[in-house]
Amino acid sequence: MEELVEKVFVIGLDSAPPELLFNRFSEMLPNIRRILSMSTHGPMRSTVPAITIPAWAVMVTGKTPGELGLYGFRHRREGTYNEIWIPHSMAIKEPTVWDYLAERERRSILVGIPPSYPPRKVKGIMVSCFLTPDRSSEYTYPPELRGEIERLVGEYIFDVVFRKEDRDEVKERLWEMTRRRFEVIRYLIEEKDWEYFQFVEIGLDRVHHAFWKYFDENHHLYPGRNAYESVIPDYYKLIDEEIGKTLKLIDLNKTAILIVSDHGVKAMKGAFAMNQWMIEEGLLKVRNPELLKEGKQVRFEELDVDWSSSKAWAWGGYYSRVFINLKGRDPEGMVNEREYDKVRDEVADLIRGIRGPNGEKWENKIFYPELIYPKAIGDRPDMLVYLDDLNWRAAGTLGHGTNYLAENDTGPDDAVHSEYGVFSLYLPGSEGANNVELTIYDFAPTVLKLFGIEVPLRGRSLV
């Protein structure tokens, strides 16, 4: 098959929503607007769950979270209730876009694509993602690249701590991280050989979570006119400026440009205490209920759970993972395998019936992994739950005076994820814009087709 372009350059903006990038902020982002004006673009439906990990891995492999065995940022260790493992690059067993390209001797430069720690051997260059523990870790392939990066920018910043009260510090660190990352990107563009270049900037996700209530006048915690209300628009301007400087280094007559995000964002209306609710419903039994009446927030791990009488428990997060206490799988499982489907359906029905703090009907969505994925390997939950269509996040903690929390229970956080990210494809010679709706599964087939490669994957190519 004939190659359609010489090079592909992918701009990954974690959490960029179509509502802001394509519409509300469009006029103040001249460089992004210029690319969009020559591209096929539109909202890109994310995966279930609409979470950074596994979404970026889904995008570059064309496989579902079930096929990858990645259901979020943490996974339960088999045979335990509370032991977890964090996804890492070695957990990705399916070939990525750059693996297919390497088979055709095409070189890739990959910066910050989750999950890419530890960095893997690739045909080209890899700089690991926000999961990197710290700069003392080996974070580049080849290893000697690390020295080049640090001579260029000093400390390379992988991420910022964004759930903290000192918003000035969060802002300062965000700007610093992004400027240094783009400086490294431009250095790699100019100094290294590549046919495929993809980077992911995590900063948009962090600025949304840290500053959304200061920006969104409809947010229930909006404080009125405030010192931080322009932080989100200003950060988008920073991204646009950096993209503008970067695109000056790229030959648009030979290079396809993609702008993509893994999911969108929207205001968080509050958090719902799932395990506290489960105790009220009789699904979860504890031997130390007095702990919950002491007026302090407690973690699930602090409970003395009577597993022999408990049918289910939950994890918190932007979505919730619910587990059935299954005999033969869980250490003290009490639900027999023959009753599993019935019990799970009963728990799902109860969750669907959860209403809002004022009795309003919620659009609670339940997903059974084996029904939404062709297969579901690894440490899968028994169900994934979107509370009120992701308008509310799930709190894993207990001991609250109400199940409805005005704020996140793990630190300041004003936003949740939404199901649509962005997609934009510029091809050399394109004039004018086209609108398209697509899914995250269409990314890999499209990129591969640009290089004349066709692989049977779930999605479709747009070219």
Side-chain angles (χ1 to χ4, degrees):
M1 188 182 295
E2 183 184 359
E3 294 187 22
L4 302 179
V5 295
E6 291 185 19
K7 292 186 172 186
V8 173
F9 186 75
V10 182
I11 299 169
L13 303 176
D14 196 289
S15 180
E19 299 86 356
L20 296 185
L21 201 74
F22 294 159
N23 298 310
R24 182 169 172 178
F25 289 166
S26 175
E27 288 303 314
M28 65 182 196
L29 307 175
N31 297 297
I32 293 174
R33 190 173 71 246
R34 174 170 166 256
I35 293 297
L36 295 179
S37 70
M38 302 183 290
S39 76
T40 297
H41 64 274
M44 181 165 73
R45 189 180 185 86
S46 186
T47 185
V48 177
I51 299 293
T52 296
I53 296 172
W56 286 107
V58 166
M59 199 185 302
V60 299
T61 62
K63 299 295 182 180
T64 65
E67 292 167 292
L68 296 172
L70 292 177
Y71 305 97
F73 275 97
R74 53 183 175 148
H75 290 74
R76 185 164 67 115
R77 289 199 183 280
E78 188 176 354
T80 71
Y81 287 114
N82 293 320
E83 292 182 25
I84 65 168
W85 62 276
I86 303 297
H88 48 80
S89 64
M90 300 304 175
I92 307 294
K93 305 299 183 188
E94 297 288 343
T96 58
V97 164
W98 50 88
D99 291 326
Y100 291 115
L101 297 179
E103 292 174 1
R104 277 110 179 136
E105 298 301 317
R106 299 292 182 266
R107 295 179 61 86
S108 298
I109 296 181
L110 312 157
V111 179
I113 306 168
S116 55
Y117 180 81
R120 298 178 66 154
K121 182 179 180 181
V122 295
K123 186 172 181 59
I125 283 170
M126 178 177 281
V127 181
S128 62
C129 69
F130 72 98
L131 295 172
T132 309
D134 55 51
R135 59 182 296 212
S136 69
S137 310
E138 190 170 282
Y139 62 85
T140 64
Y141 178 83
E144 55 269 24
L145 176 66
R146 173 180 164 183
E148 289 182 63
I149 289 175
E150 295 185 359
R151 283 191 290 276
L152 183 72
V153 297
E155 176 195 7
Y156 183 77
I157 304 173
F158 301 96
D159 197 2
V160 299
V161 178
F162 62 96
R163 289 193 182 117
K164 63 190 304 182
E165 295 296 344
D166 189 343
R167 299 297 208 281
D168 290 328
E169 186 179 330
V170 175
K171 179 186 172 187
E172 183 180 344
R173 197 70 171 159
L174 268 169
W175 259 250
E176 200 175 353
M177 173 180 73
T178 299
R179 284 182 170 137
R180 292 186 189 191
R181 194 182 329 277
F182 272 93
E183 193 170 344
V184 169
I185 288 165
R186 288 191 285 271
Y187 170 80
L188 296 175
I189 288 172
E190 289 192 292
E191 299 297 326
K192 309 296 180 183
D193 293 330
W194 57 276
E195 282 83 33
Y196 181 73
F197 197 124
Q198 181 177 354
F199 74 90
V200 172
E201 174 51 67
I202 196 72
L204 268 187
D205 183 82
R206 298 337 190 195
V207 81
H208 290 154
H209 286 301
F211 292 96
W212 196 268
K213 75 178 178 187
Y214 300 107
F215 154 77
D216 181 357
E217 295 179 2
N218 295 316
H219 196 285
H220 72 290
L221 297 176
Y222 178 65
R225 295 298 301 271
N226 64 86
Y228 302 116
E229 61 188 1
S230 69
V231 170
I232 287 180
D234 288 347
Y235 185 80
Y236 273 80
K237 291 177 187 173
L238 170 70
I239 289 285
D240 186 74
E241 290 167 6
E242 296 291 345
I243 288 175
K245 285 190 277 186
T246 304
L247 290 180
K248 286 179 180 174
L249 306 178
I250 292 177
D251 186 348
L252 296 185
N253 293 315
K254 298 178 179 176
T255 310
I257 309 291
L258 289 99
I259 303 175
V260 290
S261 64
D262 53 338
H263 55 75
V265 65
K266 58 184 172 183
M268 186 180 80
K269 292 184 177 179
F272 183 75
M274 284 291 286
N275 282 319
Q276 190 166 299
W277 170 83
M278 284 193 161
I279 290 174
E280 293 173 0
E281 293 296 325
L283 299 170
L284 178 63
K285 305 281 189 180
V286 295
R287 297 191 184 94
N288 54 345
E290 68 281 358
L291 189 67
L292 305 178
K293 297 175 182 173
E294 294 176 358
K296 64 177 183 180
Q297 176 179 311
V298 299
R299 292 179 292 110
F300 182 75
E301 293 77 9
E302 296 176 65
L303 295 179
D304 182 6
V305 176
D306 179 2
W307 289 110
S308 64
S309 303
S310 295
K311 289 183 177 177
W313 81 103
W315 278 4
Y318 296 117
Y319 68 106
S320 183
R321 274 177 272 191
V322 173
F323 302 95
I324 303 298
N325 191 25
L326 182 62
K327 202 168 188 175
R329 182 191 67 183
D330 298 318
E332 299 177 59
M334 61 87 67
V335 176
N336 289 312
E337 193 169 347
R338 65 178 181 279
E339 297 175 321
Y340 173 81
D341 289 340
K342 176 174 172 289
V343 171
R344 184 168 65 160
D345 289 346
E346 288 172 353
V347 174
D349 284 343
L350 287 171
I351 292 171
R352 288 190 188 94
I354 296 173
R355 288 179 172 262
N358 300 309
E360 70 273 23
K361 186 172 173 50
W362 273 3
E363 190 181 348
N364 300 322
K365 295 180 177 176
I366 311 288
F367 304 97
Y368 292 170
E370 76 275 15
L371 297 184
I372 59 172
Y373 310 132
K375 61 180 178 180
I377 66 172
D379 312 306
R380 67 180 196 179
D382 294 295
M383 65 183 90
L384 302 97
V385 177
Y386 286 2
L387 289 170
D388 194 24
D389 194 22
L390 289 173
N391 285 303
W392 285 69
R393 67 169 285 143
T397 54
L398 307 90
H400 307 286
T402 170
N403 290 338
Y404 303 93
L405 317 181
E407 299 194 58
N408 179 33
D409 64 332
T410 59
D413 190 344
D414 315 324
V416 289
H417 294 178
S418 60
E419 288 187 90
Y420 281 89
V422 300
F423 175 91
S424 167
L425 170 63
Y426 159 81
L427 291 173
S430 293
E431 294 180 0
N434 297 303
N435 295 321
V436 65
E437 281 199 27
L438 71 162
T439 79
I440 199 166
Y441 296 101
D442 299 333
F443 174 87
T446 300
V447 168
L448 292 174
K449 187 81 173 288
L450 291 171
F451 285 102
I453 302 169
E454 204 153 11
V455 177
L457 293 171
R458 187 184 180 90
R460 60 176 175 138
S461 168
L462 297 188
V463 293

